[in-house]
Amino acid sequence: MPFPVSRPRRLRATPALRRLVRETELSPSDFVMPYFVRPGKGEKRPIKSMPGHFQYSVDELVKAAGPLVQSGVPAVILFGIPDAKDSKASGAYAKDGIVQRAAAALKDRYPDLCVIADLCFCEYMDHGHCGIIKGERVLNDETLEFTAKTAVSQAKAGFDVIAPSGMMDGQVAAIRKALDAAGFAMTPILAYAAKYASAFYGPFRDAAESPPSFGDRSSYQMDPANFAEAMREIALDVDEGADMIMVKPALPYLDVLAAAKKRFGLPTSAYQVSGEFAMIKAAAANGWIDEKRVALESLTSIKRAGADFILTYYALEAARWLGA
Ligand code: PBG
């Protein structure tokens, strides 16, 4: 029916009507909070480029998670800054590794919290790459053995979900096989299925102290220009046994996210990465934008595009804004 019978503005006339016809609603249960954990005690070191975020020692992390749990956010994902880095990422699969201890402490204090393990080696390698290297090449198949070992170590530590982010081919299959063999058939895998070689990770690399010492990650993370390749990547991870998939970053890749949700139908997530967060924070600090509205608009857009849940540094703030 054309105008004047059709008048879309009719349904925008009052707040109550707008609420009634709203298609996408955020809730605290949509969020996963990323945390950075470091050795020590009583440590809470601010991350300069990510206002409000810290590198926590395990005891401080357990404290920080209290308000998050209170706010209704169901899950966290942990990144570790180990004591020492080496060429075999020993800290990633050490029994008393930093994220292993953090997960155990969190599960002990908050048994109902879903604790997700990021499985990657860049934070644990002296060269900062996400795999074993030879010269300046990042080796794929040689890395998988370590991937498998790390997944089992994380599951043993109490992690509820394993989320491989290294972008090695075959990593999901290697993890599924290793988990099943070790008695963790019920531990799900959240695959960073379409992870792009993105400049939006800048602040994270300071936070996790993980920048590559040479080259970049373009030989394993995806070219931002590619869409069809993302569909192939995700299809492979689904075939290898991914229970849930992720697209990362989020806002610049909503086309990929929407297509992934539609095509695969699996629980689908998106990672609003450090640079996305930092840009909003920086503009807001300058008084150029309304932080709350921009943050919630971004998160709503990510959900509208197809995300069932969102990894976001805004998890706590957004949960509070929504609750208020
Ligand atoms: C590890 C990893 C990175 C991020 C999550 N896992 C960094 C990278 O790939 O360089 C980025 C997250 C963020 O920017 O918030 N590979």
Side-chain angles (χ1 to χ4, degrees):
M1 246 6 133
F3 175 84
V5 176
S6 282
R7 287 183 183 272
R9 287 188 56 188
R10 280 188 203 113
L11 299 183
R12 299 178 200 140
T14 70
L17 263 176
R18 291 197 292 271
R19 267 172 55 210
L20 208 57
V21 300
R22 185 160 297 144
E23 298 174 38
T24 308
E25 209 119 31
L26 287 173
S27 117
S29 56
D30 295 328
F31 306 136
V32 177
M33 176 68 115
Y35 280 129
F36 300 95
V37 53
R38 62 168 306 117
K41 233 183 140 32
E43 294 266 10
K44 187 178 168 183
R45 297 193 191 175
I47 300 164
K48 231 176 103 194
S49 52
M50 300 173 68
H53 283 269
F54 303 85
Q55 296 178 341
Y56 296 105
S57 52
V58 173
D59 55 327
E60 290 292 328
L61 175 67
V62 171
K63 271 193 233 166
L68 186 83
V69 170
Q70 273 296 313
S71 75
V73 172
V76 300
I77 184 164
L78 302 187
F79 297 94
I81 299 120
D83 261 324
K85 302 178 190 242
D86 59 27
S87 63
K88 290 202 155 71
S90 310
Y93 43 84
K95 192 157 181 268
D96 61 347
I98 185 67
V99 296
Q100 281 82 353
R101 283 189 284 121
L106 284 172
K107 291 300 293 184
D108 189 49
R109 180 78 177 73
Y110 314 105
D112 297 333
L113 179 67
C114 175
V115 183
I116 304 174
D118 175 84
L119 200 176
C120 195
F121 299 123
C122 54
E123 301 113 85
Y124 303 94
M125 292 286 198
D126 48 19
H127 48 68
H129 277 288
C130 304
I132 299 289
I133 62 165
K134 187 169 183 196
E136 298 213 338
R137 276 193 311 132
V138 177
L139 304 177
N140 193 87
D141 301 17
E142 291 78 352
T143 298
L144 296 182
E145 182 192 320
F146 295 88
T147 305
K149 188 151 73 168
T150 303
V152 172
S153 161
Q154 291 173 334
K156 281 186 180 157
F159 278 104
D160 297 293
V161 176
I162 308 296
S165 67
M167 290 300 280
M168 296 299 124
D169 294 334
Q171 62 184 9
V172 172
I175 292 169
R176 187 69 273 154
K177 190 167 158 225
L179 288 176
D180 289 0
F184 294 103
M186 288 298 287
T187 301
I189 299 173
L190 165 59
Y192 282 69
K195 177 174 178 182
Y196 287 88
S198 173
F200 286 93
Y201 306 151
F204 175 94
R205 291 178 187 174
D206 294 334
E209 300 178 6
S210 64
S213 59
F214 61 87
D216 59 27
R217 304 201 199 290
S218 306
S219 78
Y220 40 104
Q221 298 179 351
M222 286 182 36
D223 183 338
N226 294 355
F227 173 90
E229 186 189 358
M231 297 301 117
R232 294 198 297 275
E233 266 286 358
I234 299 170
L236 287 169
D237 282 3
V238 173
D239 281 348
E240 288 178 29
D243 299 279
M244 302 180 275
I245 54 176
M246 189 198 302
V247 173
K248 177 183 174 189
L251 207 60
Y253 297 87
L254 293 188
D255 55 335
V256 178
L257 174 62
K261 177 62 189 177
K262 207 163 156 194
R263 193 173 308 195
F264 300 100
L266 283 184
T268 302
S269 61
Y271 199 142
Q272 182 189 50
V273 300
S274 55
E276 295 178 70
F277 172 79
M279 289 196 305
I280 300 175
K281 283 284 175 195
N286 276 294
W288 295 339
I289 57 171
D290 177 330
E291 179 180 18
K292 176 178 163 180
R293 289 189 55 203
V294 169
L296 291 178
E297 183 177 331
S298 298
L299 293 167
T300 301
S301 300
I302 295 165
K303 185 169 181 184
R304 189 197 63 232
D308 297 296
F309 59 96
I310 305 167
L311 296 86
T312 172
Y313 301 97
Y314 269 114
L316 178 59
E317 282 165 286
R320 284 181 169 160
W321 288 328
L322 294 168

